[in-house]
Amino acid sequence: MNGLDTEKIVEVFRRAFMDPDYHRRLEKANAPGTAKPLRPEQVRILKDVELLMGDGTGDTMTIRLPRQYGKNEIAAEIHKRHLLRRCVSGGTIVRAAPTFRPQIVN
């Protein structure tokens, strides 16, 4: 595969699955202009959520963030990374929207 050996490819995938920041930078390198870098606080939140999702306890996490903090971007990144991790085994994600009025109407 373009001169890369299997071990290097596996290492890139392993690192991308473990590190949201590396994953985002890898995306940007392969499709310039499509993904801006994550801010450090976004990376920390992603890591915390992924740790909770993977521990098997079924616990719930509530995250409260101020406006302009990139909540939608964090949510999209969580969904993308979770689906990528489960793409072989399959599955479904159900995403609930906020109340219809005023959020969806606006």
Side-chain angles (χ1 to χ4, degrees):
M1 299 183 111
N2 297 338
L4 291 177
D5 64 33
T6 305
E7 288 180 18
K8 288 182 182 178
I9 294 169
V10 169
E11 178 56 26
V12 166
F13 275 93
R14 187 198 64 73
R15 186 169 174 202
F17 280 130
M18 299 303 293
D19 183 358
D21 186 44
Y22 178 77
H23 187 193
R24 179 63 76 97
R25 286 186 279 123
L26 193 62
E27 287 177 342
K28 187 168 180 63
N30 290 312
T34 59
K36 59 184 180 175
L38 294 169
R39 295 190 308 269
E41 57 273 11
Q42 291 174 313
V43 173
R44 183 185 53 79
I45 291 168
L46 284 165
K47 286 182 177 182
D48 288 347
V49 169
E50 288 179 349
L51 185 65
L52 183 66
M53 289 170 71
D55 72 2
T57 62
D59 288 344
T60 301
M61 176 185 288
T62 301
I63 302 169
R64 294 181 57 184
L65 301 169
R67 293 176 58 85
Q68 308 302 324
Y69 206 79
K71 294 183 284 272
N72 291 340
E73 187 175 12
I74 293 170
E77 193 72 20
I78 289 169
H79 293 151
K80 177 184 69 178
R81 290 176 55 79
H82 184 68
L83 287 170
L84 284 171
R85 286 172 184 250
R86 305 297 188 268
C87 69
V88 174
S89 61
T92 303
I93 285 183
V94 176
R95 168 76 194 239
T99 56
F100 185 77
R101 287 194 177 95
Q103 288 89 346
I104 292 182
V105 173
N106 291 335

